Amino acid sequence: MGLNDTPSGERVHIGFFGRRNAGKSSLVNAVTGQDMAVVSETKGTTTDPVKKAMELLPIGPVMIIDTPGYDDEGTLGEKRVQKTRQILNRTDVAVLVVDAAEGCTDCDRELISLFEEKEIPYVAVYNKKDLLETVPAAKDNEIFVSALEGKGIYELKEKIAQIGKNAGTERPLASDLIKVGDLVVLVIPIDSAAPKGRLILPQQQVIRDILEAGGAAICVKETELPEILPKLSEKPAMVITDSQAFGKVSADVPEDILLTSFSILMARYKGLLDTAVEGVAAIDDLKDGDTVLIAEGCTHHRQCDDIGTVKIPNWLKKHTGKNLTIATCSGQSFPEDLSSYALVIHCGGCMLNEREVRYRMKCAKDQKVPITNYGIAIAHMHGILKRSVEVFPHLERLL
Ligand code: SF4
């Protein structure tokens, strides 16, 4: 991610689906104004989608996902459907590219039923309208275009923008918790796990949100907090800490000051907080031989370092005293079948879009597997959960 880039979790994810000969690639190129095969960040094989983050007017920051031809012989039957389902888990708007000369085929109908099953809003794009003698009237979620002649492309983008408008999160990160002029203290450890020369994404996003709400963010390391806190002439509205430093910070911040963590704010922002608080009690019910899945949202998570692989497993074993098996997954490898797990502990999910976080939660809920997240689990195992969520009084009933 470049310095000024919108994080991928904040982008509207637009997936292009269709058969190989429907002109999908030319349509993707016409919509993006770029040759995706050349500019894409991920190299596509017959089974892998190609992704590219870009600004797309009039939509704004998007993630374009160009999927392999749905009728590709390289991926057959179940595997193809499963792959498409996986892509749909993070797709906010689906674009189905249909060959206008051939009309809707069984293959296209199969894709439409997958969109409907996943409740993904979609637009059916009849490409190659230049081959038609008369262009039929389009229904509401249909459009006739010619990628070859560049006709109907702007209208298509407007249609996608219209559908994608509701895809983003409406939840605030911290701005609803403070007033104009409030001081907020952010506790940010600068240790070996911290990336060189910059702050991590949730910290950047919280600072941005506080500034937008008219507050002031004072950043301090956990080691200097006891010295700096008394120097403030006014009591801060809130202290927000890295969850790993929660124990120490909780002891240093007087009880009458609200205290929470970046991870808890992020969980609320992604729509996971209530479920995570509800699920955390399952830690105390773990038995010998249970398997806990520790899931991370991305694979290049230097900022999460060894929390998932070392620290949480150790805390779990110490807290429960049980002989547990720890399984891990990262990036897109979140398993659809969770039946072998007694509990899922998910990372903050800062790189995932809301749809994907919701999907993972639903997977767990449908299979009656409790799910929680790093921040909540850490706070629970350190006996400071109550304090870390007191900023959200509605959660009291779940504690
Ligand atoms: S592992 Fe999770 S919390 Fe860490 S950077 Fe990746 S998505 Fe964000």
Side-chain angles (χ1 to χ4, degrees), residues 135-139 142 144:
V135 177
K139 292 192 203 129
E142 290 178 352
F144 284 80

Side-chain angles (χ1 to χ4, degrees), residues 39-60:
V39 298
S40 67
E41 287 153 357
T42 49
K43 277 266 168 288
T45 68
T46 38
T47 54
D48 287 331
V50 168
K51 280 192 316 175
K52 169 82 181 140
M54 58 175 69
E55 285 297 311
L56 195 59
L57 289 172
I59 307 167

Side-chain angles (χ1 to χ4, degrees), residues 284-295:
D284 300 337
D285 299 333
L286 289 170
K287 299 182 295 297
D288 281 326
D290 276 347
T291 304
V292 176
L293 175 67
I294 298 189

Side-chain angles (χ1 to χ4, degrees), residues 64-337:
I64 299 287
I65 311 169
D66 186 6
T67 66
Y70 194 64
D71 53 348
D72 194 319
E73 284 145 12
T75 45
L76 286 176
E78 224 359 74
K79 198 171 167 216
R80 181 175 56 197
V81 174
Q82 203 187 337
K83 195 93 205 170
T84 307
R85 273 220 186 95
Q86 261 179 20
I87 301 167
L88 286 173
N89 292 338
R90 63 197 129 113
T91 300
D92 294 310
V93 181
V95 178
L96 172 67
V97 189
V98 181
D99 185 329
E102 286 183 36
C104 207
T105 63
D106 284 349
C107 192
D108 299 319
R109 276 186 280 273
E110 206 178 311
L111 279 165
I112 290 176
S113 48
L114 282 175
F115 302 157
E116 288 174 346
E117 178 197 316
K118 291 276 181 192
E119 296 175 7
I120 318 262
Y122 70 93
V123 52
V125 183
Y126 288 84
N127 188 22
K128 309 186 192 173
K129 79 167 183 177
D130 45 298
L131 299 179
L132 302 180
E133 276 178 23
T134 50
V135 177
K139 292 192 203 129
D140 237 12
N141 66 339
E142 290 178 352
I143 186 166
F144 284 80
V145 309
S146 166
L148 186 73
E149 296 176 351
K151 290 200 175 125
I153 302 299
Y154 191 78
E155 291 75 4
L156 169 61
K157 289 204 255 182
E158 282 187 321
K159 224 175 177 59
I160 298 173
Q162 185 63 29
I163 300 174
K165 216 171 52 193
N166 304 323
T169 179
E170 292 296 316
R171 274 179 288 273
L173 199 45
S175 54
D176 61 322
L177 305 172
I178 57 169
K179 308 183 301 299
V180 174
D182 271 352
L183 294 181
V184 181
V185 175
L186 308 183
V187 185
I188 301 176
I190 303 291
D191 52 18
S192 59
K196 286 237 174 317
R198 66 176 174 86
L199 298 178
I200 63 172
L201 188 53
Q203 295 159 355
Q204 294 171 24
Q205 286 177 286
V206 168
I207 292 174
R208 159 80 200 239
D209 211 44
I210 292 169
L211 294 178
E212 220 165 281
I218 299 164
C219 302
V220 55
K221 286 189 291 181
E222 76 286 16
T223 38
E224 277 75 40
L225 179 70
E227 185 194 329
I228 289 176
L229 209 49
K231 285 190 185 161
L232 300 177
S233 55
E234 187 187 302
K235 191 171 94 172
M238 199 184 344
V239 174
I240 303 170
T241 178
D242 180 280
S243 48
Q244 291 192 75
F246 214 117
K248 178 178 172 6
V249 173
S250 168
D252 290 337
V253 175
E255 290 284 337
D256 62 339
I257 298 177
L258 286 174
L259 171 66
T260 191
S261 71
F262 291 102
S263 152
I264 286 166
L265 294 180
M266 189 54 81
R268 178 180 71 136
Y269 184 62
K270 298 281 176 183
L272 179 66
L273 183 61
D274 292 32
T275 311
V277 172
E278 225 169 316
V280 79
I283 289 183
D284 300 337
D285 299 333
L286 289 170
K287 299 182 295 297
D288 281 326
D290 276 347
T291 304
V292 176
L293 175 67
I294 298 189
E296 305 213 311
C298 67
T299 47
H300 42 27
H301 46 75
R302 273 210 48 205
Q303 68 197 52
C304 287
D305 198 43
D306 55 358
I307 305 176
T309 49
V310 180
K311 289 183 182 154
I312 291 184
N314 286 342
W315 285 324
L316 271 177
K317 282 177 188 162
K318 194 166 158 220
H319 180 82
T320 63
K322 304 289 180 206
N323 191 10
L324 305 171
T325 304
I326 305 293
T328 55
C329 70
S330 58
Q332 297 306 321
S333 64
F334 187 80
E336 260 187 54
D337 180 3

